[in-house]
Amino acid sequence: MLYINGEFCNAQSNKTFDVINPATGEVVRTVAKGGAADAQAAIDAAQEAFKPWSRLTAKDRYAYLKKTADILRGRTDEIAQLITLEMGKPLAEAKGEIGLAIDYLDWYAEEGKRIYGDTIPASTPNKRLMVLRQPVGVVGAITPWNFPIAMITRKLAPALAAGCTMIVKAASATPLAAIEVFKALHEAGVPKGVANLVNGSASEVVGTLMASPVVRKITFTGSTEVGKELVRQSADTMKKVSMELGGHAPFLVFEDADLEKAAEGAIASKFRNAGQTCVCTNRIYVQKSVADEFAAIMAEKMKRLVMGNGLQEGVTIGPMIDRAAMDKAQEHIDDAVEKGATLLSGGSKVTEGELEKGCFFAPTVLLNATHEMKIAYEETFGPVAPIFTFETEEEVIRYANDTVYGLASYVYTKDGSRMFRVAEALDYGIVGINDALPTVAQAPFGGIKESGVGREGGKYGIEDYLEYKFLSLQLDI
Ligand code: NAP
């Protein structure tokens, strides 16, 4: 189903596509495949809705967002099932993601009340200078499959709170959770046209959003490759852009760290979502003096990972999204082994029993990784953990920053001065210090370098949906 101008509908072309369960290879559901005409209808609806929506008080918009959040909260269990079915993450992780998705709605419902302007001292006695904050207008949002619900509300909540209207195109692998968000918005009574959902052909739907002069801002979460293309396309109509792109997170373990906690953190950061998050650890750097001990602790703790269909109780790691994703993980492992890495565990697709039918890839740890290996500089986006070693703090900071990416990084140490020294030297938008899971709704999330531009979350996240307007008043004073 698409959701355009307050109604759930089929695509104008009547085309559909299948949603596949990566744990079983079975079709979960068949959904409408939107195209250019649907995207245009959604843009028209969002344009029409913009004026009345932007003129509502923040308190009114708060009520709609809060109600949407409450509806989703009440449906956590059923939406979690859909997320697990469409992309494989274990139910507990799916519920955690829904909690985060709701946090964004709750948080921005409130934050909309705090969009303050400024007064500025004038240069002459008879002038008064003011700055208003106004919504940018119609926004196009394009989201990935790895967090099918949280990546939508992280954009939708600040946009709507700021007074913008929106067209969302969710990833084709995961349209089902997206539909649930729009059902909740509909039931909460959000006026027609304010929020629209057009899943389907990326080239047609996103192409139409990019070409439209009505769409004043594009917010994208996905690969760096596609993000760069969208930035290029946005130039023609000079849209504002927010880009949440790929990452290549270093995870630094110093010899003074609590190695048990560091190993737990590395596993949580690396194997959550089967290694398919933009903030997943890509390179684990361990100080040489504790490298063997750390690897042994990690190998022991990894035995607790339970791979399987995420719907089953107790499963902690599900399938990858599709076969192409598994091929990339395999390519990185083969390249690393050929260049001298040693396999500590895993190393290939799971071929036993029921799991054979799905996209299950064994959690993998590689020792003796080096910077010549592809895994050291390309985003693997899979459950593969390469361990590198280092001697000094200076050396590891150089290694950690030697990448085009700059999203998340992690440091494990008990030394308070080192925490700040290293965190300040890391060229990343996020630094988790003895913390492998730093993402929360109230803090800024985003990267530098080729990991993107702009921030989502917290008071920073609403900035991207607002423009400054300067008023200069000349008075008879
Ligand atoms: P992706 O292939 O770039 O797709 C993301 C979205 O863009 C999907 O809706 C997709 O539609 C659409 N798309 C694909 N090709 C397009 C094109 N040529 N023109 C316009 N739109 C296009 O990324 P993904 O595989 O879904 O997600 C994984 C990537 O996202 C990783 O690199 C990860 O690091 C990054 N990510 C970043 C963050 C962050 O906050 N920084 C968060 C999560 C994920 P279809 O699905 O229809 O192809």
Side-chain angles (χ1 to χ4, degrees), residues 324-357:
M326 288 199 295
D327 289 347
K328 185 166 188 198
Q330 191 68 62
E331 185 196 327
H332 280 191
I333 293 167
D334 293 348
D335 172 76
V337 170
E338 201 183 300
K339 290 176 180 159
T342 319
L343 263 181
L344 183 64
S345 63
S348 59
K349 177 181 175 357
V350 179
T351 51
E352 297 115 47
E354 276 297 293
L355 300 193
E356 210 273 325
K357 290 186 204 145

Side-chain angles (χ1 to χ4, degrees), residues 200-259:
S201 158
S203 58
E204 284 194 39
V205 175
V206 182
T208 305
L209 294 175
M210 295 310 298
S212 171
V214 171
V215 177
R216 294 315 314 145
K217 176 184 167 64
I218 285 289
T219 168
F220 173 77
T221 298
S223 61
T224 293
E225 190 191 352
V226 174
K228 285 182 181 176
E229 184 50 36
L230 298 184
V231 171
R232 278 184 210 110
Q233 290 175 18
S234 67
D236 287 340
T237 49
M238 206 49 81
K239 297 184 200 313
K240 246 173 123 92
V241 292
S242 296
M243 294 282 146
E244 295 286 351
L245 309 177
H248 208 284
F251 189 102
L252 279 50
V253 183
F254 286 93
E255 59 192 0
D256 61 41
D258 179 328
L259 294 187

Side-chain angles (χ1 to χ4, degrees), residues 143 145 154 169 172 220-223 244-246 278 379 445:
T143 57
W145 51 265
R154 188 150 90 177
K169 185 228 165 284
S172 295
F220 173 77
T221 298
S223 61
E244 295 286 351
L245 309 177
C278 50
E379 192 182 25
F445 186 100

Side-chain angles (χ1 to χ4, degrees), residues 141 193 224 381 391:
T224 293
F381 228 57
E391 303 267 9

Side-chain angles (χ1 to χ4, degrees), residues 244-247 278-279 405-409 427-430 445-448 451:
E244 295 286 351
L245 309 177
C278 50
V279 292
Y405 295 106
L407 184 56
S409 55
D427 296 334
Y428 288 83
I430 302 164
F445 186 100
I448 60 171
S451 287

